[in-house]
Amino acid sequence: MYCGTVNDLENQTTPFLMIDLPSFESNLSKMSDALPGTSLRPHVKAFKSTAVAQRLYAAGHTAFCCATIKEMEGMVSVGLSDDLLLANEVLDTNRLGALAKEGASITVAVDSKETINAAVAGGVSNVLIDVNVGLKRCGCDVSEAGNLAKYAKNVGLNIRGVMGYEGHLMMVQDRATQAEMVKDSMMLLLKAHENVGGPIVSAGGTGTFDLNSWATEIQAGSYLFMDTEYAKLGLPFAECLSVMSRVISTAPDRSWAVVDAGLKALGMDHGNPSVQDGIVGFCSDEHTTLYPNKGQPQVIWKVGDLVSLSPAHVDPTIAKHQNMFAYEGNTLVEKWPIDLRGW
Amino acid sequence: MYCGTVNDLENQTTPFLMIDLPSFESNLSKMSDALPGTSLRPHVKAFKSTAVAQRLYAAGHTAFCCATIKEMEGMVSVGLSDDLLLANEVLDTNRLGALAKEGASITVAVDSKETINAAVAGGVSNVLIDVNVGLKRCGCDVSEAGNLAKYAKNVGLNIRGVMGYEGHLMMVQDRATQAEMVKDSMMLLLKAHENVGGPIVSAGGTGTFDLNSWATEIQAGSYLFMDTEYAKLGLPFAECLSVMSRVISTAPDRSWAVVDAGLKALGMDHGNPSVQDGIVGFCSDEHTTLYPNKGQPQVIWKVGDLVSLSPAHVDPTIAKHQNMFAYEGNTLVEKWPIDLRGW
């Protein structure tokens, strides 16, 4: 999708999401080399964009996972429905059942009799047994997985296997320690799998993509863009998403500058964004105040300058915008609508 | 706008924004009593909804302020254009100028020659001189305000007065201290006003609405909904906005529960949301993990229960949703589209 309406950086309305396209493509192909085809199940929650999903599909990743029903519906609407997993528990399954009736291949995570009953009631026939592998969130106890699978079979469901997200280990910064902990988590998942059966062992994420050799498929998405938090791990992926802003004000002595991207344009749960050549002071709704680097009396920016902010958490940052703009240098190449937001 | 499609709480898709309508109406009328007519300039950034703006207009508040050009455009599109202030600096003024050409009354904040020149270039003829009254953000130095006003007059602009947001004082919790600090800030603004002229002295917000007796108009919006942060101030407004979620999983021993509203449904810059009858553990993209209250071994919730989360910061929470649903008890009365999101 070439977008000819705005073709240079300076004329773009700020704030906006800028993707460095060569880095994005490099991230995509590095992961495809490591985890080709369906050994990667890209996580749609990271990008919420069918345009990005189409690129992954074209690279051979034909099975996806989603975090919301809205994401599932959007993927089906553009025909990316070969194998869609809702990697979350859900009780209101009628919308998922409607997608299955349309011919989409729909699988949902279950971790209780209630969610199994909901799958049946809504008309979803494929499930993964979600197992708690250490994160205090969803997933049944390892010892219960076999019983739940039996219960699900008895009510007519097709068990495709197990899922167990080691989310508590994504940001462990010592890689050797992280590798040991991932192994321990996956031993739990494999134990559950023994009693559940089915071809799929689904787990992992960007932070453990190269350490988790037990899962049959890795659920990752953030690797496409990265953020300042993931960058600490030393993974082979480049940060390629910026929140582009413009300086609208400077202090009289230029001891600070103010740009027009604030906390409504940035995922804030991992803290403030970062900026090159300065320090982020604080974010307001539609502003971020920037200070000079230590030892510098003045900011380097003047009113009108474009400033690139690097978000601390990329997934919720993307979810706040309507489009991503993919650039090669200063030239806009593609506009990717973020069309899978909401619920 | 009566919405008959979903008329009870249990059947609503989660997560969603629920407004307790009687409390909302009480907040609205309490502020209208304190600051009638144009002595309040409601801040559209708080609610981003023309449906909410229509209610304020009907209560006599005919002048509004906005934080983004998109908000200004949306207000004009529904005819709420008697007196619209963009209370932010902006360089790309063509879209504002287009609104003025349509006949809307448009005013923009300026704090530099660059932003004054931009107003002229874009075709905006009314400005407020934005003065820094202590917040390290936008606004010129008090000593520069008169010179900027002269410059603006010379290039043909109409100076409506001054603006100075004491945002650094909104959350001062000792009210006597806060009152003193607001006074000091406003003395700076009045000093600037002496050299600028014009009928308007615009300042304030929800946290200082009753302490700022120097401004001719108060810019407030969050008071309509409140949040856990504003609730600490003991203001006369009630928290009436909840992020409604559903329990989708519980730990085997019910030492935690997981609901389906996460950090993509909540403004996270002021921290985690709060919950009655339990403790918020942590938020993931689409989940929040809840623990029991201290001394209780188990959470009170079971799978399928609706749980109300109270956000820590209401403005960015609202900006993450498509609609607000206004209820009286368990009955849906109105649906308010959040139609002014984005930029």
Side-chain angles (χ1 to χ4, degrees):
Chain A
M1 179 192 336
Y2 177 75
C3 173
T5 52
V6 181
N7 59 13
D8 69 277
L9 261 178
E10 281 302 323
N11 291 329
Q12 185 69 274
T13 298
T14 46
F16 69 95
L17 291 185
M18 180 182 177
I19 308 290
D20 178 59
L21 188 56
S23 299
F24 171 90
E25 285 175 339
S26 165
N27 289 347
L28 194 156
S29 68
K30 274 182 190 164
M31 185 65 98
S32 289
D33 289 347
L35 298 171
T38 54
S39 61
L40 180 75
R41 188 185 280 276
H43 214 318
V44 174
K45 82 178 176 83
F47 44 83
K48 286 184 175 282
S49 165
T50 54
V52 174
Q54 298 278 17
R55 284 180 162 256
L56 288 158
Y57 191 92
H61 307 297
T62 56
F64 290 89
C65 60
C66 296
T68 67
I69 298 173
K70 182 81 170 277
E71 290 167 9
M72 299 282 279
E73 289 172 338
M75 292 290 282
V76 172
S77 75
V78 297
L80 295 176
S81 54
D82 296 11
D83 182 355
L84 287 175
L85 164 65
L86 182 61
N88 274 356
E89 280 65 24
V90 65
L91 293 166
D92 167 23
T93 47
N94 291 329
R95 287 162 64 194
L96 287 182
L99 299 178
K101 265 191 200 145
E102 281 181 45
S105 167
I106 304 293
T107 303
V108 67
V110 295
D111 70 352
S112 64
K113 287 186 179 176
E114 290 90 337
T115 48
I116 289 170
N117 293 341
V120 175
V124 180
S125 49
N126 299 304
V127 296
L128 289 185
I129 304 294
D130 187 8
V131 181
N132 185 326
V133 295
L135 177 66
K136 283 193 169 182
R137 213 168 69 184
C138 299
C140 69
D141 197 74
V142 175
S143 62
E144 270 306 299
N147 290 334
L148 277 180
K150 261 180 225 156
Y151 181 83
K153 257 177 224 159
N154 284 341
V155 293
L157 295 178
N158 173 41
I159 318 291
R160 296 189 71 198
V162 294
M163 183 184 106
Y165 178 53
E166 72 275 27
H168 56 308
L169 307 180
M170 284 301 129
M171 296 298 175
V172 176
Q173 285 180 40
D174 181 85
R175 292 230 97 198
T177 309
Q178 191 184 26
E180 272 307 304
M181 293 174 85
V182 170
K183 184 182 174 184
D184 292 347
S185 264
M186 290 303 106
M187 290 305 106
L188 294 173
L189 188 57
L190 293 186
K191 197 170 164 195
H193 188 232
E194 279 174 23
N195 298 317
V196 169
I200 294 178
V201 177
S202 194
T206 292
T208 63
F209 85 100
D210 56 344
L211 300 176
N212 191 327
S213 52
W214 301 273
T216 60
E217 57 178 41
I218 298 292
Q219 300 179 5
S222 308
Y223 75 95
L224 289 166
F225 312 103
M226 299 295 284
D227 54 36
T228 60
E229 192 77 4
Y230 267 121
K232 294 175 189 165
L233 297 179
L235 301 172
F237 309 110
E239 287 177 79
C240 70
L241 179 144
S242 307
V243 177
M244 296 301 292
S245 65
R246 199 176 292 280
V247 177
I248 53 166
S249 184
T250 57
D253 59 358
R254 292 184 54 206
S255 59
W256 74 82
V258 184
V259 295
D260 63 358
L263 57 88
K264 282 178 179 162
L266 290 152
M268 298 297 293
D269 53 291
H270 286 176
N272 284 341
S274 300
V275 68
Q276 273 206 320
D277 306 314
I279 294 166
V280 169
F282 62 97
C283 296
S284 312
D285 278 25
E286 303 288 357
H287 304 101
T288 296
T289 295
L290 306 175
Y291 300 132
N293 268 327
K294 274 182 187 168
Q296 304 295 324
Q298 295 191 324
V299 292
I300 64 161
W301 305 286
K302 57 184 196 306
V303 172
D305 284 356
L306 273 182
V307 177
S308 160
L309 303 176
S310 298
H313 194 180
V314 72
D315 298 13
T317 299
I318 290 175
K320 292 182 167 188
H321 291 259
Q322 249 183 315
N323 295 290
M324 284 178 264
F325 297 88
Y327 280 79
E328 280 180 11
N330 287 347
T331 305
L332 180 63
V333 181
E334 294 200 1
K335 186 171 100 172
W336 298 332
I338 304 168
D339 50 352
L340 306 179
R341 306 192 295 160
W343 295 278
Chain B
M1 176 192 335
Y2 177 75
C3 173
T5 51
V6 180
N7 59 12
D8 69 278
L9 262 178
E10 282 302 324
N11 291 329
Q12 185 69 274
T13 298
T14 47
F16 68 96
L17 291 185
M18 180 182 176
I19 309 291
D20 178 59
L21 188 56
S23 299
F24 171 89
E25 285 174 339
S26 164
N27 289 347
L28 193 156
S29 67
K30 273 182 190 164
M31 184 65 98
S32 290
D33 289 347
L35 298 171
T38 54
S39 61
L40 179 76
R41 188 185 280 276
H43 213 318
V44 174
K45 82 179 175 84
F47 44 83
K48 287 183 175 282
S49 165
T50 54
V52 173
Q54 297 278 16
R55 284 181 162 256
L56 288 158
Y57 192 93
H61 307 298
T62 56
F64 290 89
C65 60
C66 297
T68 66
I69 299 173
K70 182 79 172 277
E71 290 167 9
M72 298 283 278
E73 290 173 337
M75 292 291 282
V76 172
S77 75
V78 297
L80 295 176
S81 55
D82 296 11
D83 182 355
L84 287 175
L85 165 65
L86 183 61
N88 275 356
E89 280 65 23
V90 65
L91 293 165
D92 168 23
T93 49
N94 291 330
R95 286 162 64 195
L96 288 182
L99 300 178
K101 265 192 201 144
E102 282 182 44
S105 166
I106 304 294
T107 303
V108 67
V110 294
D111 70 352
S112 63
K113 288 186 181 177
E114 290 90 338
T115 47
I116 289 169
N117 294 341
V120 175
V124 180
S125 49
N126 300 303
V127 296
L128 290 184
I129 304 294
D130 188 9
V131 181
N132 185 328
V133 296
L135 176 66
K136 281 192 169 184
R137 214 168 67 184
C138 300
C140 68
D141 197 75
V142 175
S143 63
E144 270 304 300
N147 290 335
L148 277 181
K150 262 180 224 157
Y151 181 82
K153 257 177 225 159
N154 283 342
V155 293
L157 295 177
N158 173 41
I159 318 289
R160 297 189 69 197
V162 293
M163 183 184 106
Y165 177 52
E166 71 276 26
H168 55 309
L169 307 179
M170 285 300 129
M171 296 298 175
V172 176
Q173 285 180 38
D174 180 86
R175 291 231 97 198
T177 308
Q178 191 184 27
E180 272 306 305
M181 294 174 85
V182 171
K183 186 182 173 187
D184 292 346
S185 264
M186 289 303 106
M187 290 306 106
L188 294 173
L189 189 56
L190 293 186
K191 197 170 164 196
H193 188 231
E194 278 173 24
N195 297 318
V196 170
I200 294 178
V201 178
S202 195
T206 292
T208 62
F209 85 101
D210 56 344
L211 300 176
N212 191 328
S213 51
W214 300 275
T216 61
E217 58 178 41
I218 298 292
Q219 300 180 5
S222 307
Y223 75 95
L224 289 166
F225 311 102
M226 299 294 285
D227 54 36
T228 60
E229 192 77 4
Y230 267 122
K232 293 175 188 164
L233 297 178
L235 301 172
F237 309 110
E239 286 177 81
C240 71
L241 179 143
S242 308
V243 177
M244 296 301 292
S245 65
R246 198 176 293 280
V247 177
I248 54 165
S249 184
T250 57
D253 59 358
R254 290 182 56 204
S255 59
W256 74 82
V258 183
V259 296
D260 62 359
L263 57 87
K264 283 179 178 160
L266 289 153
M268 297 297 294
D269 54 290
H270 285 176
N272 284 342
S274 299
V275 67
Q276 273 205 320
D277 306 315
I279 294 167
V280 169
F282 62 97
C283 296
S284 312
D285 278 25
E286 303 288 356
H287 304 101
T288 295
T289 295
L290 306 175
Y291 300 132
N293 268 326
K294 275 184 186 167
Q296 304 294 324
Q298 295 191 324
V299 292
I300 64 161
W301 304 287
K302 57 184 195 308
V303 172
D305 284 356
L306 273 182
V307 177
S308 161
L309 302 176
S310 298
H313 194 181
V314 72
D315 298 14
T317 298
I318 289 174
K320 291 182 168 187
H321 291 259
Q322 249 182 314
N323 295 290
M324 286 179 263
F325 297 88
Y327 280 80
E328 281 181 10
N330 286 349
T331 305
L332 179 64
V333 180
E334 294 199 2
K335 185 171 100 172
W336 297 334
I338 303 167
D339 51 352
L340 305 179
R341 306 192 295 160
W343 295 279

